[in-house]
């Protein structure tokens, strides 16, 4: 994917504050510290666009980005971070439910999981909830650079097996090496392709 422009649009907590440009949107959700913001930076090839940190819980609001003036990315706050207070946890739930129940522009959810951990119970419950609402989702196993070849094959096999239950496709990814980037972009373009999204042919495969 050739990225001509990627900008931060705004942070929002409530539906009323979401950007209203009407662009097809891809949301990134997953456990805290799993690598959601790093994945966005890797996809748009702009280090530091989405803030990353080795301290879990860095992203506390929904951060919106606009890529090539055509597709919107929503970086959702991470869940499962044990050290946050109960109020913060219920605020997270409210924020995320509101997003998935009302964001009309949402075309695809990317559930980011650490390939070494696979899907855990809370993630399965979340995927079921999404499926029941007809939200299109894919699962991306990230940090594959941390595994050797055979560990990677094994971890991906487990993840694919787990994903079957939800009928969702699985991708492998590394924000460090960029592996899996083209495949994930390909799916994003496929899903967001209808409408104004105009990437195609040479342009799309030029990187
Ligand atoms: P929250 O905003 O806290 O929910 O975290 P996040 O999911 O946005 O994670 P973030 O992108 O901030 O990454 C967390 C840590 O994992 C950082 O130290 C990253 O450098 C590291 N990291 C992210 N992706 C990868 C990857 O593909 N490979 C490796 N080796 N490290 C990664
Ligand atoms: Mg983040």
């Amino acid at each position: 994917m050739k990225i001509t422009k990627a900008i931060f649009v705004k942070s929002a907590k409530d539906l009323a504050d979401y950007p209203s440009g009407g662009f097809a949107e891809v949301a990134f959700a997953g456990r805290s510290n799993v690598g959601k913001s790093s994945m966005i930076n890797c996809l748009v090839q702009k280090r530091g666009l989405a803030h990353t940190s080795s301290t879990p819980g860095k992203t506390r609001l929904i951060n919106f980005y606009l890529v090539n003036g055509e597709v919107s990315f929503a970086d959702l706050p991470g869940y499962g971070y044990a050290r946050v207070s109960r109020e913060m946890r219920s605020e997270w739930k409210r924020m995320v439910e509101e997003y998935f129940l009302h964001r009309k522009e949402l075309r695809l959810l990317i559930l980011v999981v650490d390939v070494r951990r696979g899907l855990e119970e809370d993630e399965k419950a979340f995927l079921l909830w999404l499926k029941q609402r007809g939200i299109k989702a894919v699962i991306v196993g990230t940090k594959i650079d941390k595994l050797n070849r055979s560990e990677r094959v094994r971890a991906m096999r487990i993840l694919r097996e787990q994903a079957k239950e939800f009928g969702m496709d699985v991708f492998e990814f590394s924000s460090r090496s960029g592996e899996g980037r083209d495949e994930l972009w390909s799916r994003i373009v496929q899903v967001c392709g209808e409408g104004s999204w105009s990437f195609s042919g040479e342009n799309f495969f030029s990187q």
Side-chain angles (χ1 to χ4, degrees):
M1 169 59 75
K2 185 156 168 51
I3 304 299
T4 52
K5 202 174 172 196
I7 57 164
F8 168 70
V9 177
K10 70 189 302 198
S11 297
K13 210 162 90 163
D14 305 308
L15 184 62
D17 298 326
Y18 296 172
S20 53
F23 302 105
E25 192 159 283
V26 179
F28 296 78
R31 203 170 289 287
S32 199
N33 215 36
V34 73
K36 301 174 293 296
S37 303
S38 303
M39 185 173 290
I40 290 177
N41 290 337
C42 176
L43 286 168
V44 304
Q45 292 182 319
K46 198 164 173 182
R47 213 179 283 247
L49 179 68
H51 292 293
T52 64
S53 167
S54 52
T55 314
K58 178 80 185 163
T59 313
R60 297 261 165 94
L61 299 167
I62 305 178
N63 291 319
F64 293 91
Y65 303 90
L66 187 62
V67 186
N68 288 5
E70 292 189 83
V71 74
S72 172
F73 279 2
D75 188 4
L76 300 176
Y79 54 81
Y81 175 43
R83 298 223 312 265
V84 300
S85 64
R86 187 180 303 188
E87 296 90 275
M88 271 184 59
R89 232 172 285 168
S90 70
E91 175 58 11
W92 176 89
K93 193 164 178 282
R94 188 203 62 76
M95 226 193 294
V96 171
E97 277 180 4
E98 182 174 55
Y99 177 84
F100 286 108
L101 292 174
H102 302 291
R103 185 60 165 164
K104 286 196 285 294
E105 290 83 352
L106 177 67
R107 295 286 176 279
L108 180 69
L109 167 73
I110 293 182
L111 179 74
V112 187
V113 301
D114 187 320
V115 72
R116 298 167 298 176
R117 290 179 74 157
L119 290 180
E120 293 176 65
E121 289 313 311
D122 50 355
E123 282 157 340
K124 290 181 181 172
F126 181 46
L127 288 175
L128 194 63
W129 186 84
L130 292 169
K131 196 178 166 195
Q132 285 162 351
R133 279 153 192 83
I135 295 167
K136 211 179 265 187
V138 294
I139 299 162
V140 181
T142 194
K143 303 193 183 179
I144 53 164
D145 58 280
K146 288 187 182 261
L147 298 180
N148 67 32
R149 176 78 28 213
S150 60
E151 290 168 335
R152 190 190 289 194
V153 170
R154 185 171 172 275
M156 287 305 294
R157 195 188 311 125
I158 294 170
L159 198 52
R160 285 205 176 89
E161 200 54 46
Q162 292 178 321
K164 260 192 202 157
E165 186 183 338
F166 308 99
M168 290 172 189
D169 289 335
V170 176
F171 293 80
E172 53 185 352
F173 201 89
S174 166
S175 300
R176 189 146 293 175
S177 69
E179 277 172 278
R181 182 178 176 271
D182 291 348
E183 290 79 1
L184 193 55
W185 259 123
S186 173
R187 174 58 61 94
I188 293 171
V189 171
Q190 191 188 329
V191 174
C192 298
E194 305 120 37
S196 63
W197 185 260
S198 62
F199 289 113
S200 62
E202 278 171 40
N203 206 10
F204 172 44
F205 291 106
S206 62
Q207 296 231 356

